């Protein structure tokens, strides 16, 4: 799979997640339901091919390995991402995080308040959890992309 | 009979967290009131710096501090009290050893012997200095059931390593190594022996005279004591050959810009103001622990371990890496095809505290060709109820993950 295809497929998957999974997560009445949804999210995303899982894409600070690929479409000023993780819950949470920012322009991305959004989804505890799941590192990484060229 | 409920009642932590099942004991243990009270009593009533003040308060603090050293020396059956060196923990002790032996004892072309299942604290300090000094590291492999391969160990000893360093108990698998035999074999081969007792000291009272190793290191926080304090035990003849890793106050005899001469043991290896309250807390932990019969504690822990093994084996999809025999109470496991951090995450949701990952033992996991494991570690204050709750949480994890 080439990069273009991967970005396009991920984009479609993230849009679907935003429309379908976010409301479900918000309404989930117990953690089990929330986890079952999170677990499914990872499966909806195309995996990052092994040969693309390079060191530079690894997000440091995760107990599990997580990769984040960023692409800035400069002509349209839109940011796109591809993600993968060998842990499913982390991958699900990353998917949530990325479906919120996918396709944003640089100034939107810079202004984006992830912790507020996670709060609204009742997912805040996962952000503040120790460096174990690496989501905080991931969030910082995503915001830094707004100024990357 | 060991009365676990009265034992457990002495830990304020469990009053504050009645809903949690704490099974991350190999990372750090909870502290009994006897320890937290000793630490706060020191700060509230006795605080002064040690070994320096001309005043009586300092002399009293010093007396307490040195009394703590005696308590610990007595506990581990060291021949001399000055053989107990206070450090900030097992990691610091091993760093002092690797630094301190290089050049004085270990020379270019020498070999040292480690094992496949060591904690990074017993790998990286050696590596750091061995590379610079041209000292070669050999590694004892494991057998198919993840025990140390003692035949290979003997073959590697034939290469005449100058030093052998291994853990008393594996922090991942919980397996108790045959340390007595390993030390004897290493000594027969003429090697200096270092035992990483970070997990071992919790399991049993280490007996330096019987074990006869040259060095033994451990951390206070895994033995009901405070964090930031640990012990480097060494035989006098070897401690004297260590180059101090830290220089500063207290450890010197005289200082000029031409030359510095060092103080006697133990002070020459304890630069700067020590963790006085930590040392006092650790001695309090040991004094407190000695009112219990450790044989009963071991029995209690193996009861928990067996119950856990029995239950975990019934859960479809759970793969256990640890062996139940010669096990100090630690179980490493995985759920087939699932990442350990996912499993631990779901246990966490159910307020069961375990650790997931590679547990600072990456070479072990490379060897096992696994990306990590979930580690369940039992302590004396855990109950059968804890075991059952953990098993239920594990079942739930399997159910959610494989749905
Ligand atoms: C076997 C072993 N060695 C060394 C250490 C390092 O101990 P500390 O981090 O307290 O220095 C640990 C702690 O996890 C351990 O389990």
């Amino acid at each position: 799979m080439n990069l273009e295809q991967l970005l396009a497929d991920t984009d479609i998957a993230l849009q679907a997640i935003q429309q379908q999974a976010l409301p479900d997560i918000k309404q989930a009445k117990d953690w089990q339901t929330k986890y079952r949804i999170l677990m499914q999210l990872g499966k909806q995303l195309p995996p990052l091919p092994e040969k693309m899982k390079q060191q530079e894409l690894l997000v440091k600070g995760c107990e599990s390995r997580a990769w984040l690929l960023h692409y800035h479409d400069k002509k349209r000023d839109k940011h796109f991402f591809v993600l993968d993780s060998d842990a499913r819950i982390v991958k699900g949470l990353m998917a949530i995080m990325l479906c919120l920012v996918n396709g944003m322009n640089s100034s939107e991305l810079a202004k984006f308040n992830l912790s507020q959004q996670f709060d609204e989804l009742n997912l805040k505890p996962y952000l503040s959890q120790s460096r174990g799941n690496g989501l905080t590192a991931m969030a910082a990484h995503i915001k830094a992309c707004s100024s990357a060229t | 009979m060991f009365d676990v409920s009265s034992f457990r009642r002495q830990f304020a932590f469990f009053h504050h967290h009645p809903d949690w099942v704490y099974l991350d004991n190999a990372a750090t243990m909870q502290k009994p009131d006897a320890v937290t009270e000793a630490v706060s009593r020191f700060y509230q009533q006795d605080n002064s710096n040690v070994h320096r003040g001309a005043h009586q308060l300092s002399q009293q603090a010093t007396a307490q501090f040195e009394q703590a050293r005696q308590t610990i020396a007595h506990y581990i059956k060291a021949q001399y009290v000055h053989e107990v060196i206070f450090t900030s923990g097992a990691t610091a002790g091993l760093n002092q050893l690797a630094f301190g032996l290089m050049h004085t004892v270990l020379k270019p072309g020498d070999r040292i012997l480690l094992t496949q299942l060591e904690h990074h604290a017993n790998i990286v300090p050696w590596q750091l200095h061995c590379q610079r000094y041209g000292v070669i590291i050999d590694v004892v492999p494991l057998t198919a059931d993840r025990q140390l391969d003692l035949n290979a160990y003997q073959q590697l000893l034939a290469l005449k390593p100058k030093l052998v360093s291994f853990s008393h108990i594996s922090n991942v698998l919980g397996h108790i190594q045959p340390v007595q035999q390993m030390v004897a074999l290493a000594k027969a081969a003429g090697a200096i022996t270092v035992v990483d007792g970070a997990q071992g000291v919790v399991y049993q009272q280490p007996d330096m005279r019987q074990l006869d190793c040259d060095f033994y290191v451990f951390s206070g926080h895994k033995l009901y004591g405070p964090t930031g304090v640990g012990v480097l035990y060494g035989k006098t003849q070897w401690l004297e050959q260590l180059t101090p890793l830290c220089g500063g106050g207290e450890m010197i005899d005289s200082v000029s810009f031409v030359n510095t001469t060092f103080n006697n043991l133990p002070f020459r290896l304890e630069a700067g103001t020590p963790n006085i309250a930590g040392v006092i807390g650790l001695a309090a932990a040991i004094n407190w622990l000695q009112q219990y019969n450790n044989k009963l504690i071991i029995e209690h822990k193996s009861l928990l371990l067996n119950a856990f093994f029995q239950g975990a084996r019934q859960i479809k999809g759970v793969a256990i890496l640890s062996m139940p025999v010669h096990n100090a109470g630690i179980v490493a496991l995985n759920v087939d095809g699932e990442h350990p951090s996912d499993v631990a995450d779901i246990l966490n949701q159910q307020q069961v505290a375990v650790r997931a990952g590679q547990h600072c033992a990456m070479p072990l996991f490379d060897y096992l060709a696994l990306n990590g494991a979930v580690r369940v570690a039992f302590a004396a204050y855990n109950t059968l109820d804890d075991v059952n709750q953990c098993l239920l949480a594990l079942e739930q994890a399997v159910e959610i993950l494989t749905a």
Side-chain angles (χ1 to χ4, degrees), chain B residues 26 89-92 94 119 121 167 169 171 196 198-199 219 221-222:
Chain B
T91 302
L94 290 161
H119 187 281
S167 48
I169 287 167
N171 68 309
D196 171 358
Q199 301 293 339
S219 296
H221 70 98
K222 297 195 204 261

Side-chain angles (χ1 to χ4, degrees), chain B residues 178-241:
Chain B
V179 274
Q180 190 74 53
Q181 184 191 1
M182 289 175 72
V183 168
L185 288 168
K187 291 186 93 75
I192 302 168
T193 47
V194 179
V195 178
D196 171 358
Q199 301 293 339
V201 72
V202 197
Y203 181 70
Q204 61 185 182
Q205 182 174 357
D207 182 334
M208 292 305 115
R209 291 197 206 174
Q210 194 193 336
L211 188 54
D212 201 30
C213 55
D214 298 309
F215 294 106
Y216 192 94
V217 300
F218 62 92
S219 296
H221 70 98
K222 297 195 204 261
L223 185 63
Y224 306 100
T227 47
V229 64
V231 169
L232 162 61
Y233 157 85
K235 285 189 178 160
T236 306
Q237 81 179 99
W238 290 115
L239 285 174
E240 274 170 351
Q241 295 196 51

Side-chain angles (χ1 to χ4, degrees), chain B residues 26-28 87-94 117-122 166-172 196-200 217-222 227-230 330 355 359-360 375:
Chain B
T28 198
T87 63
S88 64
T91 302
L94 290 161
L117 47 68
E118 296 311 308
H119 187 281
H120 295 164
N122 195 21
F166 50 82
S167 48
H168 187 161
I169 287 167
S170 157
N171 68 309
V172 177
D196 171 358
Q199 301 293 339
V217 300
F218 62 92
S219 296
H221 70 98
K222 297 195 204 261
T227 47
V229 64
I330 299 175
R355 189 168 164 194
H359 315 286
C360 299
R375 179 180 69 184

Side-chain angles (χ1 to χ4, degrees), chain A residues 31 35 39 89, chain B residues 342-350 397 400-401:
Chain A
W31 67 268
Y35 266 66
M39 219 69 77
I89 294 165
Chain B
D342 283 332
V343 179
D345 219 323
I346 299 178
L347 294 188
N348 175 49
Q349 282 301 323
Q350 299 170 83
I400 289 179
L401 285 165

